[in-house]
Amino acid sequence: MAPRKQQEIFDATLWLVAEKGYDGLTVEGVAERSGVNKTTIYRWWPSKAALLGAALVEADVLGFEPPDTGSLRGDLVALVEGVRRLLTEPPASDIAVAALGAAVRHPELDGRRFFVDRFVRERQIFERAVRRGELAGSVDPMLVVDLLAGAVWVRAVFRGLPVSDGFAAEAVSAVLDGVGAG
Amino acid sequence: MAPRKQQEIFDATLWLVAEKGYDGLTVEGVAERSGVNKTTIYRWWPSKAALLGAALVEADVLGFEPPDTGSLRGDLVALVEGVRRLLTEPPASDIAVAALGAAVRHPELDGRRFFVDRFVRERQIFERAVRRGELAGSVDPMLVVDLLAGAVWVRAVFRGLPVSDGFAAEAVSAVLDGVGAG
């Protein structure tokens, strides 16, 4: 399938899940919105779960390039800003929150791939920081990512509170510098 | 309504949402399972959203007492352990993940109350730590809670990875001591 056509199918899938939720997502609906024959879609993705799982990882609209600002602090602040945009700015936030929410309830969707795929790229931030001497090699990059991304999720999605402009720098400072009195 | 009867209604509500998801939750189902008349339930909670929202905050099965171990580090490790149990050990985890997932998709459920209610109690940990000189009064308690609880959510629910025995201590150390090289 031509990459452009594939992206149109992914876009239709993500828009539908944002609009109607996972239960309202159908391959028929995706076919109608993307103008692609239903049987063609089924030839590539055997179910709506497979289709949404693929869209989460491969859709350009959810594309993710790890920041490379020259410093670990700068990279992590940019990373948190990216998660903030993803979870708070429509239409990306409607898509991301609906799709990630669906992944929690529907393991067959394999939403874990989304996180595995991102983490492969996030690791680069930490590898560069270790080479520059900004981070001990013993620090667990996944722990740092999970603390920072998790904080944005809890604040924006669970609490439904605004994520302030200073949030990224404060969260990164907490994790890099620590908040304890010693 | 007698408190015990109310808890039976909440238990029935949480079990049903864990078993059947929010879409499968009905006041009729709760009435049947709890042995309480449907009209009685409606007199107290006007909708299934109101009922589940109340259950999230008031059910004993999701009860939360902030730890008081004598140190900030000990309290935060215990706090993270509690979140880990809540999100990974059935049946609590089935209930919590289903109910919190539903709260994301259904704002009328007002799942935010769950977090507001917990935070009122979590603050005590930080107030004691400031009094003991373990924490500067300028540190934002909600940021610390969101980093730690968010990390457990991402690791356990989104990534679907085991949360190791050492996870709580490592996460708390990252946030109290910082992971940066200086």
Side-chain angles (χ1 to χ4, degrees), chain B:
Chain B
M1 186 180 297
R4 201 178 127 205
K5 189 42 74 182
Q6 190 164 317
Q7 287 298 326
E8 285 169 12
I9 294 170
F10 291 153
D11 284 349
T13 304
L14 294 171
W15 276 99
L16 275 172
V17 84
E19 260 177 34
K20 306 188 176 220
Y22 185 72
D23 294 334
L25 174 68
T26 60
V27 172
E28 286 75 8
V30 173
E32 195 176 318
R33 184 178 278 234
S34 62
V36 174
N37 199 293
K38 189 174 74 170
T39 54
T40 307
I41 296 178
Y42 274 119
R43 206 175 309 139
W44 285 71
W45 302 278
S47 66
K48 76 172 181 178
L51 179 56
L52 180 56
L56 269 174
V57 176
E58 297 174 47
D60 290 341
V61 66
L62 294 177
F64 167 68
E65 277 305 310
D68 186 4
T69 65
S71 77
L72 175 59
R73 193 174 302 264
D75 284 359
L76 292 180
V77 168
L79 189 72
V80 176
E81 282 296 344
V83 177
R84 175 169 91 129
R85 283 193 301 275
L86 181 68
L87 296 181
T88 63
E89 292 182 4
S93 58
D94 295 327
I95 292 170
V97 172
L100 294 175
V104 168
R105 288 171 298 129
H106 301 280
E108 71 275 17
L109 198 153
D110 200 10
R112 299 170 189 192
R113 277 173 59 205
F114 175 76
F115 292 91
V116 170
D117 180 72
R118 280 181 69 104
F119 187 63
V120 167
R121 288 178 272 180
E122 288 158 344
R123 286 192 88 106
Q124 300 168 19
I125 293 171
F126 298 90
E127 288 161 5
R128 288 194 305 259
V130 170
R131 283 201 296 272
R132 283 189 302 243
E134 294 178 289
L135 193 70
S138 58
V139 171
D140 176 8
M142 189 182 279
L143 177 61
V144 174
V145 169
D146 291 358
L147 286 162
L148 293 172
V152 182
W153 177 271
V154 172
R155 186 67 59 95
V157 181
F158 281 152
R159 294 196 197 276
L161 290 177
V163 182
S164 69
D165 287 341
F167 184 86
E170 286 164 28
V172 170
S173 173
V175 174
L176 285 186
D177 311 322
V179 302

Side-chain angles (χ1 to χ4, degrees), chain A residues 23 146 155 159 175-176 179, chain B residues 23 146 155 159 175 179-180:
Chain A
D23 295 333
D146 290 359
R155 184 68 58 94
R159 295 196 196 276
V175 174
L176 285 186
V179 303
Chain B
D23 294 334
D146 291 358
R155 186 67 59 95
R159 294 196 197 276
V175 174
V179 302

Side-chain angles (χ1 to χ4, degrees), chain A residues 52-162:
Chain A
L52 180 56
L56 269 175
V57 176
E58 297 175 46
D60 289 341
V61 68
L62 294 178
F64 167 68
E65 277 305 312
D68 186 5
T69 65
S71 76
L72 174 60
R73 192 173 303 262
D75 285 359
L76 292 180
V77 168
L79 189 73
V80 175
E81 281 296 343
V83 177
R84 175 170 91 130
R85 282 194 300 276
L86 181 68
L87 296 181
T88 64
E89 293 183 4
S93 57
D94 295 328
I95 292 170
V97 172
L100 294 176
V104 168
R105 288 171 297 131
H106 301 281
E108 71 276 17
L109 199 154
D110 199 10
R112 299 170 190 193
R113 276 174 59 206
F114 175 76
F115 292 92
V116 170
D117 180 72
R118 280 182 69 105
F119 187 63
V120 167
R121 287 179 271 179
E122 288 158 345
R123 285 192 88 105
Q124 299 168 21
I125 293 171
F126 299 89
E127 287 161 6
R128 287 194 303 260
V130 170
R131 283 201 296 273
R132 284 189 302 245
E134 293 178 291
L135 194 70
S138 57
V139 171
D140 175 8
M142 189 181 279
L143 177 61
V144 174
V145 168
D146 290 359
L147 286 162
L148 293 172
V152 183
W153 177 272
V154 172
R155 184 68 58 94
V157 181
F158 281 152
R159 295 196 196 276
L161 290 177

